[in-house]
Amino acid sequence: MSRMIVVSNRVPLPDKDGKLPAGGLAVAVHAALQEEGGIWFGWSGQSGEEEPGPVHRRSHGAIDYVLTDLSSRDVDEYYSGFANRVLWPLFHCRIDLAEYSRRDKDGYFRVNRLFADRLMPLIEPDDIIWVHDYHLIPLAAELRRRGVKNRIGFFLHIPWPPADILFAMPIYDQILKGLSSYDLVGFQTDHDLDNYISCLIREGVGGRAPNTPLAEAAPAAAALRAYGRTFQAATFPIGIETAEFARLAAQSEEMDEVQDVRRSMNGRDLIIGVDRLDYSKGIPERILAFERFLELNPDRSGHVTLLQIAPSSRSEVPEYRDMQATVESLAGRVNGTMGRIDWTPIRYINQGVAREALAGLYRQARVGLVTPLRDGMNLVAKEYVAAQDPDDPGVLVLSRFAGAARGLRGAVLCNPHDSEQTARAMEWALTMTLEERRSRWRDMMDYLLEHDIGSWCRSYLAALSHSRDHAAPSQSDT
Ligand code: ADQ
């Protein structure tokens, strides 16, 4: 196997005792890097008024972490600006929230050039390069421009939008073209892959490559030809550390924090929502659906509590601050109008919760309410299922617009824009028979055990290693 270089906006560094940050992706990618040795490159998270100085290096086992600082202007324009105020809203179909500026676009491409310049001296001829997410779409083109012939793969963690949405963005063509410089483009679901191919066809710049075999057998895959290059695109639905998370949840049940919540529930049913505070996660719509649920089922009043855990994220972006105010006011309104002196319908926590406690809380909840308006995958849905007690599992109510809905067939699917339907899904989940809960859970758990984060990482890397074996001979890297 070749040495690997992973590139992502932020790098999950181990702490001073070598302990990895929680979360499946960091653990799985670290495991793959440890095997043959490699480099993880990205932004250090530090910024200052000055132009960035030299890179920082840190080693841990067979892995070298190479980090670059950015200037505050870079962070403003590349990260908070173009990545999070243009690409994120557009790719989540929120044209109304996209704030395009030429200044931010220039910053985005400038930082991608900086990443390419800083990577160049690190790259050896046989290295495989794996780039993650929407912050770094132009990186392969920048590396190719500097003469890099290595295999370069890309994985998009968020959805790829339909053509009419993408085309609303000025410079959409540069973003569309950017992906064609990779050897393998990975998407979360077949919908994202189809949308990407439709964009190429609608733009008249490419499409499926006839007579080119596929490099691997992902759930959906395509050999593509666009902008003079032949490359592969396929779906790799990301998973979690299923078995590990299930063990953690079983242990966490005994934690004081989790027991305290159980006691405070006083026999009431718990419905849980866990998200970063982000408009794509549909938290206001979820609160309205819960309000509707209480209106439709007055006998549930006093007997069910929604625990919504949603720490702030990206507070430097105004839309996120506005959302925080909306969620606070909605939760306050429902509690004020529907609550009783001995019962608060919604417990809203605007803070993160430790992973162990989170696992125990998922296990305690009768219903996992995961209702994003749009989500690349959504790992919370998978964690909720993995955390359940096999003898008495809870029910997952899941938005049909989460990538996770493509694989989790045992979930009760809902349309988060339809509060009435989501309310009925909650009621159905709470009344479901034990037999049906067990059968739905078994189906989802078997899927999650087979498609865990380790298998995601291995199948992506196997496909990347073979991505050129089948490519057309006319391939150009310029
Ligand atoms: P995110 O948008 O961050 O990820 P998600 O997939 O749900 O969304 O992952 C969130 C992770 O953070 C989960 O592991 C969860 O446990 C943790 N988390 C979330 N809220 C938390 C809270 N309140 N307290 C503690 N921990 C919390 C992006 C894409 C997703 C895609 C992932 C991975 O937007 O669609 O699934 O990348 O590819």
Side-chain angles (χ1 to χ4, degrees):
M1 191 130 154
S2 315
R3 195 178 73 144
M4 184 161 70
I5 300 181
V6 176
V7 190
S8 55
N9 174 55
R10 295 301 304 273
V11 177
L13 290 173
D15 68 13
K16 55 183 185 335
D17 305 321
K19 199 165 168 279
L20 291 175
L25 177 67
V27 174
V29 175
H30 272 102
L33 275 168
Q34 272 306 351
E35 238 168 69
E36 300 291 325
I39 294 173
W40 197 324
F41 179 89
W43 173 35
S44 62
Q46 303 298 317
S47 62
E49 289 315 313
E50 302 289 312
E51 287 307 303
V55 294
H56 318 276
R57 298 185 81 124
R58 208 175 122 184
S59 291
H60 176 69
I63 308 175
D64 276 333
Y65 299 93
V66 184
L67 304 171
T68 181
D69 297 344
L70 295 175
S71 70
S72 336
R73 181 172 153 230
D74 288 339
V75 177
D76 244 27
E77 297 173 5
Y78 144 82
Y79 179 71
S80 310
F82 195 76
N84 285 335
R85 294 193 76 187
V86 179
L87 293 177
W88 179 274
L90 257 159
F91 281 35
H92 288 86
C93 294
R94 292 297 304 267
I95 304 184
D96 57 318
L97 296 182
E99 288 278 341
Y100 178 81
S101 87
R102 201 172 285 176
R103 193 187 75 121
D104 290 348
K105 180 265 293 177
D106 290 344
Y108 178 76
F109 284 93
R110 184 179 67 246
V111 169
N112 272 272
R113 287 196 296 276
L114 175 83
F115 269 45
D117 287 337
R118 301 204 146 186
L119 269 168
M120 281 305 288
L122 308 173
I123 301 172
E124 290 171 11
D126 287 335
D127 289 347
I128 279 197
I129 303 168
W130 188 8
V131 179
H132 287 260
D133 231 359
Y134 59 102
H135 315 86
L136 300 171
I137 291 172
L139 187 60
E142 292 298 338
L143 292 170
R144 300 279 183 229
R145 217 163 274 145
R146 287 160 180 73
V148 172
K149 304 267 187 241
N150 301 51
R151 273 170 229 259
I152 315 179
F154 179 82
F155 185 77
L156 184 68
H157 289 259
I158 66 175
W160 183 274
D164 281 337
I165 305 271
L166 184 80
F167 294 174
M169 171 174 55
I171 72 119
Y172 71 87
D173 46 341
Q174 291 179 51
I175 296 299
L176 186 60
K177 186 175 180 188
L179 287 187
S180 69
S181 291
Y182 290 91
D183 293 297
L184 174 68
V185 179
F187 295 101
Q188 298 274 25
T189 72
D190 51 342
H191 290 166
D192 304 311
L193 175 62
D194 289 349
N195 282 341
Y196 178 65
I197 297 174
S198 305
C199 288
L200 294 176
I201 294 171
R202 281 267 303 273
E203 186 65 356
V205 293
R208 287 178 193 270
N211 309 321
T212 309
L214 299 175
E216 41 64 58
L224 301 177
R225 180 138 185 100
Y227 303 100
R229 282 192 93 248
T230 303
F231 58 105
Q232 303 275 335
T235 57
F236 301 91
I238 196 166
I240 59 167
E241 295 169 289
T242 313
E244 178 56 33
F245 202 82
R247 254 193 309 277
L248 185 69
Q251 284 165 11
S252 307
E253 245 182 342
E254 304 310 320
M255 279 176 76
D256 288 348
E257 217 172 327
V258 176
Q259 287 298 327
D260 288 349
V261 175
R262 182 183 296 283
R263 268 191 296 276
S264 74
M265 288 300 295
N266 211 3
R268 294 185 188 103
D269 286 327
L270 177 65
I271 299 182
I272 195 167
V274 175
D275 315 76
R276 270 186 314 102
L277 198 51
D278 190 298
Y279 47 79
S280 66
K281 305 291 181 186
I283 304 171
E285 290 78 1
R286 187 179 311 163
I287 294 175
L288 291 174
F290 184 66
E291 181 180 41
R292 189 75 194 118
F293 160 82
L294 293 175
E295 285 164 2
L296 289 172
N297 304 283
D299 52 321
R300 294 278 182 196
S301 176
H303 299 290
V304 183
T305 297
L306 169 63
L307 171 60
Q308 176 62 55
I309 304 173
S312 307
S313 70
R314 304 179 191 167
S315 318
E316 69 286 357
V317 179
E319 289 76 20
Y320 287 75
R321 291 196 296 271
D322 295 350
M323 232 218 34
Q324 182 157 342
T326 306
V327 169
E328 279 163 11
S329 110
L330 274 177
R333 189 190 82 196
V334 175
N335 283 339
T337 55
M338 316 287 282
R340 302 193 317 220
I341 36 179
D342 61 344
W343 169 64
T344 309
I346 301 177
R347 295 186 191 180
Y348 167 55
I349 316 287
N350 181 213
Q351 292 160 40
V353 170
R355 203 163 173 73
E356 292 76 9
L358 199 57
L361 292 173
Y362 284 141
R363 193 172 172 102
Q364 212 178 105
R366 301 295 320 145
V367 178
L369 194 51
V370 184
T371 55
L373 305 180
R374 202 161 162 84
D375 217 328
M377 180 53 58
N378 194 298
L379 297 181
V380 168
K382 297 191 169 182
E383 291 167 357
Y384 175 77
V385 172
Q388 296 309 298
D389 175 355
D391 294 331
D392 186 17
V395 179
L396 175 65
V397 172
L398 178 61
S399 160
R400 55 183 300 169
F401 303 114
R406 310 287 299 146
L408 295 176
R409 302 290 160 125
V412 173
L413 293 189
C414 70
N415 172 0
H417 300 282
D418 182 347
S419 56
E420 186 94 9
Q421 193 204 51
T422 308
R424 292 190 195 285
M426 285 183 228
E427 178 60 10
W428 183 25
L430 285 170
T431 48
M432 198 178 276
T433 62
L434 178 61
E435 194 188 355
E436 182 165 358
R437 283 190 278 128
R438 278 191 185 148
S439 135
R440 284 171 175 265
W441 176 80
R442 187 71 264 164
D443 193 59
M444 294 192 282
M445 193 62 177
D446 288 347
Y447 170 84
L448 291 179
L449 286 166
E450 191 183 337
H451 299 94
D452 70 356
I453 186 76
S455 93
W456 173 81
C457 197
R458 284 189 296 277
S459 59
Y460 184 90
L461 289 173
L464 181 56
S465 317
H466 295 114
S467 56
R468 281 191 187 166
D469 305 350
H470 306 274
S474 61
Q475 181 150 307
S476 127
D477 274 346
T478 53

